[in-house]
Amino acid sequence: MDKENNRKPIWLESAYGPGADKMLSALGPARAQIAGAVDNFYHTLLKIPAAERILGNVSGREFDRLKKAQAGYLTMIVSPGITMDEHRRMALKIGYMHCFVGVYTDLLTESSILYGDIAGLLTSGTADEDALKRLISRRLQFDLITQIGAYVAVQHTRLDVYNQVSRLKDPETTLDLMGSVLDLLMNSFEKSLSGVAFGSVKNGTYRHMLSMGHVPFGPEHGSDTGYPTVKIRKIEQAWFNEQSFVKNHVYDCSESFDSLKEACVTKGIRSFGFFMLHDLKYAPKAYLLVCGKFPGYFSDKSMRYYWNHLADVIGGHFDMIERSRVKRQSRLSDGLTYRQLLARRRVNMYYQPIIDPGTGCTVKVEALARLVDGERIISPGLFLPSFGTSHLRDLFEIGLAQVLEKLPRVSKTPLMCSINLPPEALLDKEWLGKLPGYLVQAGADPQRICLEILESSLHDDPGVMKQLFSLREAGYSIFLDDVGAGESSLLRLVNLPVSGIKIDQSFVRSLPRSFENIDLILSLRFLTHNRGLECIAEGVENINIAETLFHMSKGQIFFQGYAYAKPMPAEDLAVWLARDNPCTPEPKSPRTLYGWYSGHIGRLFSIRNALHTIPDLIDVNRLQTAESCHLHANIRKIGGHAEIEDAHRQWHTDYARCVRRIQSEANCQDLWQTLEASKRNLQILIERAIRK
């Protein structure tokens, strides 16, 4: 079993180990060219506006150290002796750093392609040039995938912290609340934050109320009053205007920050943000000070939005503590009611269909528990926080019994049903070990029951892994739910006995507002498809999300969400399934600009992958002509205009030039700026058209 858990992905088996080390030894003196190649790499990278903005946050001395470190990192990647685990640890560390300084994933991908040019330089003229270049390319692909895994982990951590803060049960005092929040923030964001604090402004002076970690103006040594009061013009002005404000590069602080800059430099703080807490009437309550270890930490507008929104949630808690003690008692009473309903088995399982969007067919359903209190139907978001481990196990057993009793009567043909395994069950190896026997005793058909486990609840415990493999060997399908819920989720697809994954709703639901998660979703689709696993997207709530997902994935992702069907009782599910066409298949051609642009990005993703491995198989003549692309003819039909058509033509022309260079094994670094500009121009035009 341990051997199975530690197995490398098939495509990486030849990239590490004695055989790979022997091949890499042939590079010899060629590795001395890396430092010069890194200089050229940054020379090209600085032509990209996003990269120029990020690198503008570091000093000249830091930039020199960065290039030296980058050369050392690439040297390690192409050196014999490094193991996959060592490489993964290195790549995760770099991935976190890239994420914290504001590097977008598309810029990360383009940087990886530029590294491919360095691989060509290093292997040129070696005895087995093609094989050696392929080996290095696979290590670079692994490096990119692992770094993207760090981005996924960061995004999930942010969502998890937001959810935890949102669900906080208001303590007795605001001091208790501040302590809980600061402790959560520092434990969750220790890789990126040096310190956090709550503070307020009175009579033009600022003073911390409570802090944790390294912050400017910490407690005075031996002071009876604890925190000093300071007068800083910028803070006073922002408070008066009821605004938050950030500084991405402390060393560039103007005179208006006065002693704040000096205090930050002394503590090693590279960026900071003061985010205003409002009460429920939107009056200012306090400031949340967030101090970053990295320059540019707040350069991404989504990061600023996140902290502003989190501050508002915390402000709401402040307000609720000050306003009400009665509601807290009410929540305690509700929790008792929910546990009593469970004890009386007042549970009704609802079923939400999972759809193949290409055919409109129902491929399976997910069973979701509801509590019934007279005419009132209580959703899990209300009762689950009130349940302990034993209650969750009881809920699973009651729910499974209902599924086995009712589902065979719902559909004329056997229907696969997913049911959630309690996260706490993975901490109890004894209960988990008895689960296969319990399922047999309950009459569960392994071909009809799928067990969903939260990715975030997994632990690298050999005993737990053994039990999961036992369930899989017994024939039960196992799905990873809410994938993106941990830094190792991408590589766990290799080691765990899973049949498929469900993409976390936070990635899916953001698609109508932003295209920034498309690359992450495409990476998950690519990895699952290559391993023969199913991929399900939860949270498909409207036509724009459905269009975007369908055309980016070429129908390789199943959908679950309100755009197709809400969770429903077994009786309603029977009626729904009996209809001739409960769901209409997604059309092959996009109906909206959402679908059109996601299809375009999906094609771009495929071309980028091919550039790493099989550039000679790309038909450059066809790629060069936009009219050869089936998407081009649809632009006007779905609300596009001539500018979008011209931008699409330009993108095809630029990409074809780049591919032609790569096919001729020539250096194409000078084309990346042009390619980035055409890609960005097309995206801007699409976003403007959608907003209209």
Side-chain angles (χ1 to χ4, degrees):
M1 197 64 65
D2 290 340
K3 181 177 179 181
E4 176 67 22
N5 288 339
N6 294 324
R7 184 175 68 79
K8 297 185 185 76
I10 293 174
W11 63 277
L12 279 178
E13 286 182 347
S14 61
Y16 301 90
D21 291 346
K22 183 177 180 181
M23 291 180 64
L24 289 169
S25 297
L27 287 178
R31 276 188 287 271
Q33 302 179 62
I34 289 180
V38 167
D39 280 335
N40 292 333
F41 164 80
Y42 278 107
H43 179 74
T44 302
L45 201 65
L46 281 168
K47 296 178 181 178
I48 302 174
E52 183 182 22
R53 172 182 54 77
I54 293 166
L55 292 171
N57 288 323
V58 300
S59 66
R61 183 177 299 177
E62 288 175 319
F63 189 30
D64 290 337
R65 287 202 299 266
L66 174 63
K67 289 190 287 187
K68 185 177 180 180
Q70 190 72 11
Y73 182 72
L74 287 174
T75 301
M76 286 291 293
I77 291 177
V78 300
S79 295
I82 186 174
T83 66
M84 187 182 78
D85 288 339
E86 289 170 339
H87 187 181
R88 176 181 175 275
R89 286 193 292 271
M90 291 165 50
L92 277 174
K93 183 177 179 180
I94 296 296
Y96 283 124
M97 184 190 72
H98 282 151
C99 182
F100 298 146
V101 299
V103 176
Y104 294 114
T105 53
D106 57 352
L107 181 58
L108 192 67
T109 303
E110 292 195 19
S111 299
S112 179
I113 295 174
L114 291 177
Y115 291 157
D117 295 337
I118 296 177
L121 174 68
L122 294 176
T123 58
S124 178
T126 56
D128 199 352
E129 181 175 341
D130 290 341
L132 191 53
K133 185 175 181 180
R134 186 163 54 252
L135 186 155
I136 294 175
S137 294
R138 290 189 176 185
R139 285 195 177 188
L140 291 174
Q141 288 179 51
F142 176 67
D143 193 87
L144 176 62
I145 290 172
T146 305
Q147 289 199 46
I148 289 176
Y151 279 64
V152 173
V154 169
Q155 182 147 358
H156 174 75
T157 299
R158 292 173 187 165
L159 177 64
D160 184 56
V161 168
Y162 180 84
N163 288 336
Q164 288 192 59
V165 171
S166 300
R167 293 194 299 261
L168 275 176
K169 293 184 176 181
D170 296 331
E172 291 290 336
T173 67
T174 55
L175 185 63
D176 291 335
L177 172 67
M178 289 189 292
S180 298
V181 171
L182 294 182
D183 186 61
L184 172 63
L185 295 180
M186 285 304 298
N187 286 331
S188 301
F189 299 125
E190 60 179 348
K191 293 184 177 70
S192 57
L193 299 185
S194 62
V196 285
F198 287 103
S200 62
V201 176
K202 288 185 178 180
N203 301 321
T205 61
Y206 172 85
R207 183 172 179 267
H208 294 320
M209 296 185 287
L210 191 66
S211 70
M212 190 169 293
H214 297 294
V215 297
F217 312 122
E220 292 182 327
H221 181 68
S223 170
D224 293 331
T225 57
Y227 297 102
T229 57
V230 293
K231 188 173 182 64
I232 298 174
R233 186 153 37 99
K234 183 66 177 179
I235 299 178
E236 180 184 0
Q237 185 179 37
W239 181 267
F240 179 78
N241 293 325
E242 299 185 10
Q243 294 175 338
S244 299
F245 71 94
V246 301
K247 193 65 182 175
N248 277 305
H249 189 6
V250 166
Y251 295 166
D252 282 346
C253 282
S254 64
E255 292 182 359
S256 63
F257 288 91
D258 301 323
S259 56
L260 179 57
K261 173 182 177 179
E262 180 182 350
C264 288
V265 172
T266 303
K267 298 291 181 69
I269 298 166
R270 298 304 310 277
S271 53
F272 62 79
F274 283 82
F275 299 96
M276 182 161 282
L277 278 63
H278 299 91
D279 63 18
L280 297 180
K281 293 183 178 179
Y282 216 69
K285 298 289 293 183
Y287 266 133
L288 170 63
L289 170 61
V290 182
C291 300
K293 294 180 180 178
F294 297 89
Y297 183 70
F298 303 102
S299 58
D300 186 349
K301 65 180 180 181
S302 66
M303 177 68 81
R304 299 192 297 274
Y305 175 84
Y306 173 82
W307 285 106
N308 273 312
H309 207 54
L310 187 66
D312 278 338
V313 174
I314 298 169
H317 283 298
F318 269 68
D319 198 55
M320 294 303 293
I321 290 173
E322 294 173 0
R323 284 168 175 253
S324 173
R325 298 289 181 268
V326 177
K327 286 187 177 181
R328 187 178 306 110
Q329 187 61 42
S330 175
R331 284 195 296 271
L332 293 173
S333 175
D334 286 345
L336 176 61
T337 299
Y338 299 150
R339 291 187 290 273
Q340 290 174 341
L341 289 172
L342 177 67
R344 296 199 296 271
R345 306 178 74 86
R346 299 290 177 81
V347 177
N348 193 14
M349 298 303 287
Y350 276 45
Y351 303 87
Q352 187 170 31
I354 297 171
I355 307 299
D356 178 349
T359 63
C361 296
T362 302
V363 294
K364 64 172 68 175
V365 295
E366 180 180 2
L368 302 160
R370 302 288 189 266
L371 291 182
V372 181
D373 186 9
E375 296 296 319
R376 183 186 176 203
I377 304 299
I378 305 169
S379 65
L382 293 175
F383 64 75
L384 285 181
S386 304
F387 285 2
T389 300
S390 62
H391 303 112
L392 292 170
R393 291 175 187 164
D394 291 345
L395 181 64
F396 172 79
E397 293 174 3
I398 293 170
L400 178 65
Q402 254 193 54
V403 168
L404 297 178
E405 175 192 354
K406 293 187 176 182
L407 205 58
R409 303 198 297 264
V410 164
S411 175
K412 297 178 181 178
T413 58
L415 189 63
M416 171 74 80
C417 180
S418 295
I419 187 168
N420 292 283
L421 200 62
E424 289 76 8
L426 298 179
L427 300 175
D428 188 341
K429 287 179 282 188
E430 181 180 355
W431 186 86
L432 197 59
K434 295 177 181 178
L435 183 58
Y438 171 78
L439 291 169
V440 171
Q441 184 180 359
D445 181 353
Q447 303 304 313
R448 299 288 168 246
I449 294 295
C450 172
L451 301 172
E452 293 188 12
I453 55 177
L454 284 174
E455 193 275 339
S456 58
S457 68
L458 286 172
H459 304 276
D460 295 326
D461 186 325
V464 171
M465 295 299 160
K466 181 179 178 180
Q467 300 302 338
L468 292 178
F469 272 95
S470 296
L471 286 167
R472 187 74 183 94
E473 289 165 1
Y476 294 98
S477 297
I478 299 176
F479 267 62
L480 272 186
D481 196 9
D482 294 347
V483 165
E487 65 181 42
S488 60
S489 59
L490 298 181
L491 296 180
R492 273 181 169 154
L493 297 182
V494 175
N495 298 325
L496 287 172
V498 296
S499 306
I501 67 168
K502 300 183 82 171
I503 301 174
D504 189 87
Q505 293 190 33
S506 62
F507 298 140
V508 176
R509 288 181 172 174
S510 67
L511 289 175
R513 301 186 301 275
S514 168
F515 293 119
E516 65 182 17
N517 287 328
I518 286 181
D519 282 347
L520 292 173
I521 294 174
L522 282 170
S523 297
L524 290 172
R525 188 267 298 175
F526 177 77
L527 292 173
T528 52
H529 180 68
N530 282 357
R531 287 189 51 77
L533 305 178
E534 285 185 18
C535 185
I536 298 172
E538 296 183 288
V540 183
E541 310 294 37
N542 57 55
I543 185 175
N544 291 328
I545 296 176
E547 276 257 293
T548 303
L549 281 172
F550 179 73
H551 290 287
M552 82 163 72
S553 67
K554 310 302 181 191
Q556 293 173 358
I557 298 179
F558 294 148
F559 293 173
Q560 180 178 356
Y562 280 28
Y564 291 91
K566 297 180 180 180
M568 61 190 84
E571 298 76 15
D572 293 350
L573 178 65
V575 175
W576 193 85
L577 290 172
R579 291 159 53 189
D580 290 337
N581 294 298
C583 290
T584 303
E586 288 292 326
K588 302 300 181 185
S589 298
R591 293 170 292 179
T592 68
L593 287 171
Y594 287 99
W596 186 93
Y597 185 70
S598 66
H600 169 75
I601 293 299
R603 288 166 63 84
L604 170 59
F605 191 86
S606 299
I607 293 172
R608 280 180 174 173
N609 285 324
L611 279 174
H612 283 294
T613 52
I614 49 171
D616 54 306
L617 295 185
I618 299 175
D619 186 342
V620 182
N621 293 327
R622 183 175 177 82
L623 177 62
Q624 183 171 350
T625 307
E627 280 71 13
S628 300
C629 173
H630 72 278
L631 292 170
H632 191 79
N634 291 330
I635 293 175
R636 297 290 185 106
K637 299 176 183 177
I638 56 176
H641 47 70
E643 282 188 275
I644 293 177
E645 289 179 331
D646 291 341
H648 188 230
R649 288 190 187 95
Q650 188 61 50
W651 180 89
H652 272 272
T653 300
D654 292 340
Y655 225 106
R657 288 173 60 201
C658 183
V659 173
R660 187 173 282 112
R661 286 269 194 96
I662 292 174
Q663 288 179 341
S664 63
E665 300 185 356
N667 191 307
C668 65
Q669 289 189 2
D670 59 313
L671 292 179
W672 287 114
Q673 182 183 13
T674 302
L675 191 59
E676 167 70 14
S678 63
K679 172 178 175 288
R680 181 61 181 159
N681 183 47
L682 178 59
Q683 181 178 332
I684 289 172
L685 291 172
I686 292 292
E687 288 174 343
R688 286 176 181 170
I690 288 174
R691 283 197 294 269
K692 288 181 180 179

